[in-house]
Amino acid sequence: METTSLIQEPQKKQKLNEEEDIDGNNKCLSNLPEEVLLHILSFLPTKDAVRTSVLSKRWEYMWVSIPNLVFERSLRPKRTLLMNFVDRALCLRDSDIKRFILSCDVLSDASRVNTWISAVVRHNVQELYIELENFKGDFSLPYCLFTCKTLTSLHLNMWYMILKLPPTICFSNLKILIIESVTFSNERLTQQLFSGLPVLEELQLHECKWGGLKTVSISAPKLRSLSIHEIEMQNWSYGDGRQVMIFGESLQEFYYDGFLHRDYCLYNSFSLEVSEIHVIDDDETPRQMAYHVYKLLIGLSNVKFLTLNCGMVEGLKSSAELLPHIPIFNNLISLTLDWCPVDLDCVATLKILQNSPCLKILKFLEGIWLWLDCGKDDWIPEPVPQCFLSHIKCIEVGSYDGDKKELPAIKILLKNAVVLDEIIISCSEHFAGNLEKQENFYKQLIEFPKGSQNCKIVLK
């Protein structure tokens, strides 16, 4: 019995000390300053932060001051609970909001949702993410949002709802703007939106629909990065005069993927460094697409690092009259051709290489081949691109599969790139599984005539 008592005594004492710590508010966590506790709470989901209100009287309303509030869409039976939860959180709020995230079905509660957004703006919100769904008709966000002086980041996703814009727009401190699945309907107000962004640095437009807008103008003077994604088919056709004008005196990065059914015209893009263009091939109207590609390439002529999908490049073949007018890429040092194997004999591919005199790095991510008769090993591009004779140091060829059209293309690269330091060839999964074929391939490579005797061959 005595032994048992000695064992139990420390345990009882420890339990009493723990209870005393909680009741006396002496635990280390509770002794921390309020700003530290709020910082810790900010890492919790909002609903979990609310649960801390049961810990003690001090914690009861602490959650209403956390800097970040997140309210995500609930299933229909729980939607009322979510709506009431947002009401209570904003009603009790007595401090500024750093980040506010709202995802919900609007249904018949448009005015209620706008009341929340207005409240968030009054609390000097800095980062705002709004995802709205299930609303019929034009949707008007509160006017105060479009003149909010504290907002630095805005992500707006409206699931193809028509956004009705106010007559005055000025985001004086907005640096990041992401607009997703929004339908624009008023040309003048849309232009006003994209010109009311004096300090904007990053703009992303994902799956936006432009309705009947003929012209979209983007003219943010400090814009550094612009991304446009238009994977879904738009409800217009080629050649209807629609265009997107981008005035980018500070633009450093430009990304596009989609059907390119509009003219994308970049003006004053002298600072452009990185661009990735992926055009989805439209076999029905190749000539019209070629003209859109050509106009886009003109705006990219100052770029340093360029990625193009080969379908876009080969699309230029359908309009041979454009090839002599493809711009000179004097600043281009790295060119990546993506999506499918590149035909080395494609006149458009050769023209871009011939117009890139300072190119140092050339990548064929999905491989390369030569559609000419494979017996013509003496074929050379005419004229040989200047970059092959003076600048190209590294060539990467991906997805090598052992096809008979691939080997002649690699042979031509090795023969004509006279200052090449390294060629890296990555094998496809199929080819990599056959060691005997790889060994034979490597033996052929080292026997090929090389324009550069210092060229290192790397097989991966």
Side-chain angles (χ1 to χ4, degrees), residues 23-252:
D23 294 337
N25 200 22
N26 290 323
K27 289 186 73 81
C28 292
L29 183 61
S30 295
N31 279 333
L32 292 173
E34 185 167 315
E35 59 269 21
V36 176
L37 293 176
L38 289 174
H39 180 70
I40 294 172
L41 286 179
S42 69
F43 291 99
L44 294 176
T46 301
K47 61 181 181 180
D48 292 335
V50 173
R51 291 190 178 110
T52 64
S53 61
V54 303
L55 294 178
S56 70
K57 196 162 184 67
R58 184 187 180 194
W59 290 82
E60 185 175 2
Y61 292 106
M62 189 175 295
W63 68 273
V64 302
S65 298
I66 57 177
N68 304 326
L69 292 173
V70 179
F71 304 101
E72 296 179 317
R73 178 185 286 108
S74 297
L75 297 175
R76 288 293 174 90
K78 296 183 178 180
R79 181 175 179 273
T80 301
L81 293 176
L82 171 67
M83 305 295 277
N84 293 336
F85 183 23
V86 180
D87 282 340
R88 182 166 181 259
L90 294 176
C91 181
L92 294 173
R93 190 76 187 186
D94 60 356
S95 59
D96 288 348
I97 298 173
K98 180 182 179 182
R99 182 185 301 116
F100 185 85
I101 298 176
L102 172 67
S103 174
C104 72
D105 293 317
V106 179
L107 302 178
S108 59
D109 291 308
S111 61
R112 194 175 183 182
V113 170
N114 279 339
T115 298
W116 296 340
I117 296 172
S118 298
V120 169
V121 170
R122 287 196 301 272
H123 286 290
N124 300 316
V125 66
Q126 297 177 40
E127 301 171 22
L128 181 58
Y129 176 94
I130 303 173
E131 181 182 12
L132 304 178
E133 193 173 359
N134 290 323
F135 180 82
K136 294 181 180 180
D138 297 359
F139 191 91
S140 299
L141 290 165
Y143 172 73
C144 62
L145 172 64
F146 294 93
T147 55
C148 180
K149 295 181 179 180
T150 59
L151 200 59
T152 60
S153 176
L154 174 61
H155 187 158
L156 187 61
N157 185 347
M158 297 182 64
W159 287 92
Y160 304 113
M161 293 157 54
I162 298 173
L163 176 61
K164 189 174 181 180
L165 294 167
T168 302
I169 301 171
C170 183
F171 290 103
S172 57
N173 285 295
L174 192 67
K175 293 187 176 181
I176 299 173
L177 176 59
I178 302 173
I179 302 179
E180 189 171 356
S181 303
V182 170
T183 299
F184 295 95
S185 59
N186 186 296
E187 188 166 305
R188 180 181 63 83
L189 294 179
T190 301
Q191 183 168 335
Q192 188 168 309
L193 168 64
F194 293 122
S195 61
L197 305 162
V199 299
L200 190 72
E201 296 178 359
E202 178 182 344
L203 174 61
Q204 297 182 30
L205 301 173
H206 296 267
E207 296 298 338
C208 290
K209 293 189 175 181
W210 306 104
L213 277 61
K214 288 285 186 179
T215 302
V216 178
S217 178
I218 299 172
S219 57
K222 295 187 177 181
L223 186 63
R224 294 190 299 105
S225 177
L226 173 61
S227 302
I228 300 175
H229 304 268
E230 297 178 328
I231 301 301
E232 287 194 6
M233 272 285 202
Q234 300 278 0
N235 57 351
W236 56 69
S237 59
Y238 281 122
D240 61 359
R242 300 176 189 272
Q243 62 178 334
V244 176
M245 299 187 299
I246 302 162
F247 299 89
E249 57 265 30
S250 300
L251 195 64
Q252 296 177 13

Side-chain angles (χ1 to χ4, degrees), residues 414-434:
L414 286 169
K415 183 177 180 179
N416 290 281
V418 299
V419 295
L420 191 64
D421 288 335
E422 184 177 48
I423 183 167
I424 302 170
I425 303 174
S426 299
C427 299
S428 69
E429 185 177 349
H430 167 263
F431 193 76
N434 193 319

Side-chain angles (χ1 to χ4, degrees), residues 328-357:
I328 305 294
F329 298 92
N330 283 315
N331 298 327
L332 188 62
I333 60 176
S334 177
L335 174 63
T336 300
L337 298 172
D338 198 1
W339 271 23
C340 61
V342 175
D343 179 12
L344 191 58
D345 187 37
C346 173
V347 290
T349 302
L350 288 175
K351 187 63 178 177
I352 291 176
L353 290 174
Q354 289 161 355
N355 286 14
S356 305

